[in-house]
Amino acid sequence: MALLLEDTAPNFKAQTTAGEIDFYEFLGDGWGVLFSHPSDFTPVCTTELGRMSQLQDEFRKRGAKILAVSVDPLESHKEWIKDINETQHTSVSYPIVADPDKKVANLYRMVHPNWSGSHTVRSVFIISPDKKVKLTLTYPAATGRNFVELLRVLDSLQLTVNYAVSTPADWKDGEDVIVGGSVKTEDIPKKFPKGHKIIKPYLRTTPQPNK
Ligand code: BEZ
């Protein structure tokens, strides 16, 4: 069974390019982004791991640690990082799990047998500080992921966990948000003093409360 939203993210110990890690210890009290890719030394994956590295400071600012996974061995990862750094003009410093026995891949259902019985697909899991799965994504092999979207989702998760709001389609940090359905219209001015709009009784917006 696939991991579902609000399931507890399974812990594991694994060999990585930064040594052996215990996943929960690695995450500490922060957020986590665990993402898998099919294979080292492949073109889309090379751009993906490079892009994640370029954005690492943005993930750090949001208190999120990054961990990549593939079923290739450690020596392969270490050699491949040199190519990623050279071609994507970056310096990968987040760990990459070497998972040749598919321990992590099976725990997180990252192998989809209808695509390949032996390689992980492009999966992403965002994990909250209480170790719950907050987002899952699965992309096909020929489609590189949008890593800026993961930052946008983290912004939304970190906002909506603290305020009775949700974020609309294509929302970006700083834009108006939707007042949660649990908030009575007459209570909005007290809860959201920056103002609000009533577009429909069920669609009420307010400026982002933590900006
Ligand atoms: C790639 O990263 O380019 C790739 C990996 C596996 C299958 C197809 C493409």
Side-chain angles (χ1 to χ4, degrees):
M1 247 267 284
L3 281 175
L4 302 177
L5 299 187
E6 300 303 333
D7 280 350
T8 298
N11 195 23
F12 56 83
K13 286 191 171 60
Q15 290 298 330
T16 79
T17 49
E20 186 174 271
I21 63 155
D22 172 288
F23 188 46
Y24 278 12
E25 279 174 20
F26 169 75
L27 294 178
D29 294 332
W31 292 75
V33 180
L34 178 69
F35 73 111
S36 60
H37 56 276
S39 207
D40 294 359
F41 298 103
T42 49
V44 178
C45 300
T46 299
T47 62
E48 286 194 317
L49 272 78
R51 184 65 182 136
M52 191 55 132
S53 172
Q54 291 162 1
L55 292 171
Q56 188 165 4
D57 279 349
E58 291 299 321
F59 284 93
R60 258 195 219 111
K61 275 188 215 161
R62 291 159 174 84
K65 294 245 182 95
I66 299 167
L67 188 62
V69 184
S70 90
V71 296
D72 288 318
L74 202 52
E75 285 317 309
S76 164
H77 288 346
K78 286 182 177 167
E79 280 305 305
W80 182 40
I81 284 174
K82 295 178 195 166
D83 282 5
I84 299 171
N85 290 345
E86 178 197 324
T87 61
Q88 308 305 307
H89 315 290
T90 188
S91 179
V92 172
S93 63
Y94 57 81
I96 308 176
V97 172
D99 193 32
D101 56 4
K102 302 192 188 71
K103 195 174 85 181
V104 178
N106 288 331
L107 263 181
Y108 280 80
R109 308 337 187 248
M110 291 164 164
V111 174
H112 291 204
N114 291 339
W115 178 67
S116 159
S118 53
H119 288 83
T120 39
V121 292
R122 298 189 198 287
S123 295
V124 184
F125 297 87
I126 293 186
I127 297 161
S128 55
D130 60 355
K131 311 292 182 285
K132 299 292 181 198
V133 172
K134 293 292 179 183
L135 167 128
T136 66
L137 280 178
T138 307
Y139 269 45
T143 306
R145 285 160 285 194
N146 183 332
F147 289 87
V148 173
E149 168 65 0
L150 302 183
L151 294 170
R152 194 187 76 85
V153 175
L154 269 171
D155 286 339
S156 174
L157 286 168
Q158 293 178 353
L159 174 70
T160 57
V161 86
N162 287 316
Y163 296 88
V165 297
S166 42
T167 57
D170 293 340
W171 172 85
K172 287 194 228 53
D173 191 43
E175 294 178 356
D176 286 1
V177 298
I178 295 169
V179 176
S182 63
V183 181
K184 289 191 187 132
T185 297
E186 59 267 31
D187 294 338
I188 295 177
K190 198 162 50 131
K191 273 192 171 293
F192 299 105
K194 289 181 182 173
H196 68 277
K197 287 183 203 148
I198 301 178
I199 298 157
K200 290 281 178 191
Y202 59 85
L203 176 56
R204 303 151 315 159
T205 62
T206 186
Q208 187 173 327
N210 63 346
K211 284 284 166 185

